[in-house]
Amino acid sequence: MKTITLANAKITDVAREAGLSVATVSRVLNQQDIVSAASRQRVLEAIERLGYRPNLLAGHLRRKQTRTLGVVISDIMNPHFTEMVRAVEDAAYRSGYRVLLCNTDESSEKEADYLQLLSAERTGGVIASPSDPADSEFARLLDLGIPVVAIDRPLADERAHSVLSDNAGAAALATRHLLAAGHEVVGLVAGPEHRFTGRERTRGYLDAMREAGREPRLALGDFQIDGGRRATRELLDGPRPTALVVANNLMTIGALEVLNDSGVRLPQDMALVAIDDPFWATAVHPRLTTLAQPVEAMAEAAVTLLTQRDQDAEGGPRHETFQFELHVRDSCGTRQGR
Amino acid sequence: MKTITLANAKITDVAREAGLSVATVSRVLNQQDIVSAASRQRVLEAIERLGYRPNLLAGHLRRKQTRTLGVVISDIMNPHFTEMVRAVEDAAYRSGYRVLLCNTDESSEKEADYLQLLSAERTGGVIASPSDPADSEFARLLDLGIPVVAIDRPLADERAHSVLSDNAGAAALATRHLLAAGHEVVGLVAGPEHRFTGRERTRGYLDAMREAGREPRLALGDFQIDGGRRATRELLDGPRPTALVVANNLMTIGALEVLNDSGVRLPQDMALVAIDDPFWATAVHPRLTTLAQPVEAMAEAAVTLLTQRDQDAEGGPRHETFQFELHVRDSCGTRQGR
DNA sequence: CTGAAAGCGCTTACAG
DNA sequence: CTGAAAGCGCTTACAG
């Protein structure tokens, strides 16, 4: 038994049903103003009767543009990127755009693959935190006139926009906060050297330590939970710091675990400031002092750059930098209780 | 200064450049086998020289099908859904499909909006955890021949596939595990009545308690952190349970917070089993005993239903149910140490 | 193995 | 305000 398919009417069916031309139907579907009230009424009724749903594919081909944004990120399971994707989706939806999710797992190959696809689909724009900043696929996109905004990490191609945050400044701020509280040995659970955000945050930390005339004490992690564990153990083993800056949210989980296992209490035995402000930061004990990126504002900025480009078409690429915000809570030990 | 755009060649340009017809070019792009080696060579060179990138929009329109899957979920910030989206993206990518992310925030309106869009875009298939199971937009999708699979929550339309997990069984298993350890008053931090997963998990808990002849003791939450806090407080205030089942991962965060604030130690003063197995379950202290859904297998199943439908086109809708897996760790107090 | 031609379902100058 | 017609860039029978 097969049920008869009723739907799948096309614009010609609607035109026939309404006794008008396809041009008129198309007009009520789009630039509604040029059609007489009577015609519009008949078209609307015909659409209703037929259950007509315009085929956007055809419209996009004809108009040579789509309202889809590609979002290329390395790891959606990282809460920072989850938040970013969520914020981008939100901003895109409000602007009448949709989001094609491209998760690359930090694989340059998968990234290139997705970028190629996005150009073939003639996507309306791409927001990317590039695994490979020099990927030539970005150039192809730009060649085709598809705007690109680098988020979180910069892109080599100078035609791309960028929406970054002040990573070095954030790490310096965290370090200084701890230094000002009287800590002499402030350790850094650092991000990897080969990641822009890792390098930048390390740089900020080093600057602040040098500025204070303190000896830096850092261990390299991988921005993952396990790297946080390893780096924290390494720091505990040497000349033990009394305060720690942890370079991202995933490593913070590992650091907290190791500290706890080693009987090191926060903030009495060890003060801690974490970069990133994950949703669970206020649910652990003590509540985490963090440096939060204004993720929503950044997503909004990125989407705006892609969707409102007509207004400033000739303005060239824009580069926006956002500041982190310090949330002083309990793990740093600087609030009254210390 | 404006740079000249080189790209944007179309198939006719390639044909001219190669001295062959567009049909031949199209053939090397697709059904590669029917073309002579010499012709293929010339086409490939022409493509290379021109930097040609086929316009998939045109191909999709012509072929009347796309390789995009819509993923409609209520809240990507909920780690369970993050994981699900991640797993779906992975499976889709492996099958040569891409993912359009539709985050609905549990808004029926936004959900309907996205579903309408997905039908207009002639998406290849839709995976949805419906906020509104009776949304008539699902019927439109199905009418158009777009397959739909309900994930996490069922759908009213009987033409939809479903990939669900045994929520009642999981809650019953958690409860029995605690009961078997000797607890007499096992409390439930319950999900909301109006959510399928909430209802089902509560049902499983009630079944297990009844079966053991124990009085149920539950407080309703909202599946969010704050509801977990409130419900846990409520349970602590009345006749205090010695063990708790928490119905999802977000409420577990709230529950842990309240327990900690109240000086209730896990597992000595309170045993706890959490439904869902978030990535931080092994990073807190004590490590959480959880019930994990086989998210990857479920995502794989859902994608397979959508992408390999030709093979069993006439098979009618499939309904697959997956079992949770109990991970006994430290928070339930049943491991040796208790 | 290869090409000419029709057609996918729309939108949009161009005329009226 | 409305319609006839061209065209977006492909794919695919159909013929050879």
Side-chain angles (χ1 to χ4, degrees):
Chain A
M1 194 191 91
K2 235 181 141 161
T3 55
I4 299 156
T5 311
L6 310 130
N8 240 326
K10 43 204 70 162
I11 199 171
T12 51
D13 298 321
V14 177
R16 189 182 321 112
E17 178 79 13
L20 290 161
S21 75
V22 297
T24 302
V25 175
S26 178
R27 284 190 191 104
V28 354
L29 254 23
N30 305 304
Q31 351 149 30
Q32 305 234 11
D33 25 334
I34 339 179
V35 181
S36 76
S39 297
R40 171 173 310 116
Q41 179 67 10
R42 282 162 64 197
V43 169
L44 259 19
E45 283 170 12
I47 287 175
E48 182 60 32
R49 238 173 292 138
L50 266 38
Y52 170 68
R53 183 118 328 163
N55 183 331
L56 257 37
L57 246 34
H60 290 155
L61 174 59
R62 179 56 228 250
R63 283 186 165 141
K64 296 184 169 196
Q65 54 135 312
T66 64
R67 291 175 83 77
T68 300
L69 261 29
V71 176
V72 182
I73 51 159
S74 52
D75 176 17
I76 195 180
M77 286 304 292
N78 179 325
H80 172 62
F81 287 117
T82 312
E83 217 180 316
M84 190 59 89
V85 168
R86 196 255 123 85
V88 167
E89 186 274 342
D90 214 58
Y93 181 78
R94 287 197 305 271
S95 302
Y97 279 69
R98 31 208 158 283
V99 162
L100 206 52
L101 177 65
C102 309
N103 194 58
T104 66
D105 290 318
E106 297 287 12
S107 149
S108 313
E109 196 189 338
K110 197 171 172 193
E111 176 172 293
D113 225 55
Y114 263 130
L115 291 173
Q116 178 160 351
L117 183 81
L118 291 172
S119 70
E121 299 260 29
R122 302 300 191 267
T123 310
V126 172
I127 294 176
S129 65
S131 292
D132 179 1
D135 194 326
S136 62
E137 284 300 328
F138 284 112
R140 298 300 265 285
L141 247 11
L142 266 350
D143 286 346
L144 283 168
I146 297 175
V148 174
V149 16
I151 202 161
D152 204 70
R153 310 169 184 174
L155 219 37
D157 197 303
E158 58 196 2
R159 293 168 296 173
H161 301 287
S162 72
V163 172
L164 303 175
S165 46
D166 182 11
N167 292 286
L173 182 56
T175 308
R176 282 192 210 107
H177 184 73
L178 261 4
L179 253 9
H183 293 281
E184 304 192 349
V185 187
V186 177
L188 174 70
V189 175
E193 285 295 311
H194 62 277
R195 290 266 159 261
F196 174 76
T197 45
R199 277 197 305 280
E200 285 292 292
R201 289 170 191 180
T202 296
R203 183 166 71 78
Y205 161 80
L206 291 175
D207 283 352
M209 291 299 271
R210 182 175 316 118
E211 181 185 289
R214 298 296 177 192
E215 199 63 33
R217 171 111 180 76
L218 66 86
L220 250 40
D222 57 358
F223 272 161
Q224 302 297 316
I225 294 180
D226 201 52
R229 282 191 197 110
R230 286 196 309 267
T232 305
R233 269 191 223 109
E234 190 181 327
L235 290 175
L236 289 184
D237 283 351
R240 186 172 289 198
T242 58
L244 240 39
V245 173
V246 187
N248 91 331
N249 72 77
L250 251 21
M251 292 200 299
T252 301
I253 294 177
L256 291 178
E257 198 182 330
V258 167
L259 258 16
N260 209 320
D261 284 353
S262 311
V264 177
R265 291 161 308 163
L266 266 56
Q268 304 95 314
D269 307 332
M270 183 74 80
L272 187 149
V273 177
I275 299 185
D276 286 341
D277 186 45
F279 64 91
W280 46 265
T282 55
V284 295
H285 281 266
R287 299 179 314 139
L288 257 35
T289 291
T290 63
L291 279 149
Q293 294 186 50
V295 174
E296 294 184 7
M298 294 172 73
E300 181 77 44
V303 169
T304 302
L305 284 171
L306 297 180
T307 58
Q308 298 180 5
R309 49 188 163 132
D310 327 72
Q311 307 187 1
D312 34 41
E314 297 302 322
R318 301 289 181 90
H319 300 287
E320 305 189 13
T321 303
F322 287 75
Q323 294 303 317
F324 283 73
E325 200 172 299
L326 177 66
H327 292 300
V328 178
R329 290 193 278 247
D330 308 324
S331 68
C332 62
T334 62
R335 281 159 65 115
Q336 50 233 50
R338 182 152 210 259
Chain B
M1 195 191 88
K2 230 178 146 164
T3 55
I4 298 156
T5 310
L6 311 130
N8 241 325
K10 42 204 72 164
I11 199 170
T12 51
D13 299 319
V14 177
R16 187 181 322 111
E17 178 78 13
L20 290 162
S21 76
V22 297
T24 301
V25 176
S26 178
R27 284 190 191 104
V28 355
L29 254 23
N30 304 305
Q31 350 148 32
Q32 306 233 13
D33 25 335
I34 338 180
V35 181
S36 76
S39 298
R40 171 173 308 115
Q41 180 66 9
R42 284 161 62 197
V43 168
L44 259 19
E45 283 170 10
I47 287 175
E48 183 58 33
R49 236 172 295 139
L50 265 39
Y52 170 66
R53 183 115 328 163
N55 182 331
L56 259 37
L57 247 33
H60 290 154
L61 174 59
R62 179 55 227 253
R63 283 188 165 141
K64 294 184 171 194
Q65 54 134 314
T66 65
R67 292 176 82 78
T68 300
L69 261 28
V71 175
V72 182
I73 51 160
S74 52
D75 177 17
I76 196 182
M77 286 304 292
N78 179 326
H80 171 63
F81 287 116
T82 311
E83 217 180 316
M84 189 60 89
V85 167
R86 198 255 121 85
V88 167
E89 185 274 342
D90 214 58
Y93 181 77
R94 287 197 306 271
S95 302
Y97 279 70
R98 31 208 158 282
V99 162
L100 206 53
L101 177 65
C102 309
N103 193 57
T104 66
D105 290 318
E106 298 286 14
S107 147
S108 314
E109 195 189 338
K110 197 172 172 192
E111 175 172 295
D113 226 54
Y114 263 130
L115 291 173
Q116 177 159 351
L117 183 81
L118 290 172
S119 70
E121 298 261 29
R122 301 302 190 265
T123 310
V126 172
I127 294 177
S129 66
S131 292
D132 178 1
D135 194 325
S136 62
E137 283 302 327
F138 284 111
R140 298 299 267 280
L141 247 10
L142 266 351
D143 287 345
L144 282 168
I146 297 174
V148 174
V149 16
I151 202 159
D152 204 70
R153 312 167 183 174
L155 219 37
D157 197 302
E158 57 196 3
R159 292 167 297 173
H161 301 287
S162 72
V163 172
L164 303 175
S165 45
D166 182 12
N167 293 285
L173 182 56
T175 309
R176 284 192 209 107
H177 183 74
L178 261 4
L179 254 9
H183 293 282
E184 303 191 348
V185 187
V186 177
L188 174 71
V189 175
E193 286 293 310
H194 63 277
R195 290 268 159 259
F196 173 76
T197 45
R199 277 198 305 280
E200 285 292 292
R201 290 169 190 180
T202 296
R203 184 166 70 76
Y205 161 80
L206 291 175
D207 284 352
M209 290 299 271
R210 184 176 316 116
E211 182 184 289
R214 298 296 175 191
E215 200 62 32
R217 172 111 179 73
L218 67 86
L220 251 39
D222 57 359
F223 272 161
Q224 302 295 317
I225 294 181
D226 201 52
R229 282 190 197 110
R230 286 197 309 268
T232 304
R233 268 190 223 108
E234 190 181 328
L235 290 175
L236 290 183
D237 284 350
R240 186 173 289 197
T242 60
L244 241 38
V245 172
V246 187
N248 90 331
N249 73 76
L250 252 20
M251 291 200 301
T252 300
I253 294 177
L256 291 177
E257 198 182 330
V258 167
L259 258 17
N260 208 320
D261 284 352
S262 312
V264 178
R265 292 162 308 164
L266 264 56
Q268 303 95 314
D269 307 333
M270 183 75 80
L272 186 148
V273 177
I275 298 185
D276 285 342
D277 186 46
F279 65 90
W280 47 266
T282 57
V284 295
H285 281 265
R287 297 180 315 139
L288 257 34
T289 291
T290 62
L291 279 150
Q293 294 185 51
V295 173
E296 293 184 6
M298 293 172 73
E300 180 78 46
V303 169
T304 302
L305 284 171
L306 296 180
T307 59
Q308 297 178 5
R309 48 189 165 132
D310 327 71
Q311 307 188 0
D312 35 41
E314 297 304 321
R318 301 290 180 90
H319 300 287
E320 304 188 14
T321 303
F322 287 75
Q323 294 302 317
F324 283 73
E325 199 173 300
L326 177 66
H327 292 301
V328 178
R329 291 192 279 246
D330 308 323
S331 68
C332 62
T334 62
R335 281 159 64 115
Q336 52 235 46
R338 179 143 213 262

